[in-house]
Amino acid sequence: MRKKIVAANWKMNLDLTEGAELVNDIFNGSPELNENKIVVIAPPYIHLTHTSAQLVGMNHVHLGAQNCHAEPSGAYTGEISAAMLKSAEVEYVIIGHSERREYCHEDDAVLSKKVNQALANGLKVIFCCGEPLAVRDANEQNAYVESQLTAGLFHLPVTQLIDITIAYEPIWAIGTGRTATSAQAQDMHAHIRKVLANKYGETVAAETPILYGGSCKPSNAAELFACPDVDGGLIGGASLKAAEFLGIVAAMSNA
Ligand code: 13P
């Protein structure tokens, strides 16, 4: 049975006090979770140790990071390695987010190296893909996303796919308030699952969680998560307020 996941990507938001309060509120308000219905919280690096301590005793809520470096160690001022994340009890790392592709110029080659570093250090990967508006308007989104998956992930042997979650985040829906319709999300998620099946077989495709991201909120989460190939969400803005995030977690829990 594949997992349902709601993952919080705080991006560059919340100071230490605000972050601790938010985790505390999530702790107090979380609906029933289990090993197949989980939450991941990915705060900025500086929060990780403290958030990790807060999550002790909070069942099925896992710690994530928003990035790691493509090299194992060395003279990369300001960077954080996958091994460092592992030592801070991090379990998941987001790789390939469109904001890092755009603002940090992370290309397919560097992203595939990051995936390798993460997996080699025992981290699970949330690999992001998604098209810009011009590609959607040209109706070329399927080929675009397939090429992102091929370049970033398809060098992996089938045995490593167990540690991969995919997040489909159409760039035109991120932080814009313009959510993909549930039909658009379902179409793309079904396409991604078919691409996975072609490369790795039906069993792997059926077991890989595929999350939707982009202006997901309590008011649209239930409809999105009811789609057969939408296995939860990667949440930006709505993950910063406990009530909104918990509303989305509840939608996942009830799906
Ligand atoms: P929003 O939920 O703010 O649109 O962000 C989505 C996202 O980029 C999560 O990684």
Side-chain angles (χ1 to χ4, degrees), residues 96-104 128-130 169-171 174:
H97 195 283
S98 58
E99 288 152 13
R100 295 205 60 88
R101 291 179 193 256
E102 181 178 355
Y103 306 134
C104 306
C128 300
C129 56
E169 300 203 308
I171 296 171
I174 296 177

Side-chain angles (χ1 to χ4, degrees), residues 170-215:
I171 296 171
W172 45 271
I174 296 177
T176 60
R178 181 181 162 185
T179 321
T181 64
S182 52
Q184 286 172 320
Q186 169 56 27
D187 281 354
M188 178 57 81
H189 285 225
H191 172 65
I192 291 170
R193 211 176 294 288
K194 189 174 93 212
V195 168
L196 280 172
N198 290 344
K199 171 71 182 171
Y200 290 109
E202 296 288 344
T203 309
V204 165
E207 286 296 316
T208 303
I210 306 175
L211 314 183
Y212 168 80
S215 299

Side-chain angles (χ1 to χ4, degrees), residues 15-175:
D15 68 19
L16 289 178
T17 308
E18 293 164 336
E21 280 173 11
L22 176 55
V23 173
N24 198 40
D25 290 346
I26 293 169
F27 190 102
N28 290 329
S30 179
E32 195 72 12
L33 301 167
N34 60 47
E35 63 183 22
N36 290 319
K37 291 185 173 176
I38 69 166
V39 167
V40 176
I41 297 178
Y45 289 139
I46 195 168
H47 291 260
L48 288 172
T49 342
H50 189 70
T51 308
S52 169
Q54 284 188 288
L55 294 186
V56 171
M58 204 169 160
N59 291 334
H60 312 298
V61 180
H62 302 266
L63 187 61
Q66 298 175 19
N67 178 38
C68 69
H69 199 262
E71 299 296 333
S73 64
Y76 299 101
T77 301
E79 295 292 342
I80 303 281
S81 73
M84 292 173 194
L85 296 179
K86 186 70 182 172
S87 75
E89 315 283 341
V90 170
E91 292 178 74
Y92 286 80
V93 59
I94 299 169
I95 292 178
H97 195 283
S98 58
E99 288 152 13
R100 295 205 60 88
R101 291 179 193 256
E102 181 178 355
Y103 306 134
C104 306
H105 312 292
E106 294 186 356
D107 61 14
D108 290 332
V110 87
L111 294 176
S112 68
K113 286 177 77 174
K114 287 184 180 219
V115 168
N116 293 346
Q117 273 303 311
L119 296 176
N121 285 282
L123 300 172
K124 296 183 195 306
V125 171
I126 299 175
F127 187 83
C128 300
C129 56
E131 79 285 354
L133 186 57
V135 170
R136 168 67 60 169
D137 284 344
N139 198 28
E140 288 166 357
Q141 63 274 8
N142 284 7
Y144 188 94
V145 166
E146 182 167 352
S147 84
Q148 289 179 316
L149 298 176
T150 303
L153 292 179
F154 284 6
H155 61 288
L156 296 174
V158 65
T159 48
Q160 292 198 296
L161 264 285
I162 189 150
D163 289 325
I164 303 291
T165 292
I166 292 171
Y168 169 60
E169 300 203 308
I171 296 171
W172 45 271
I174 296 177

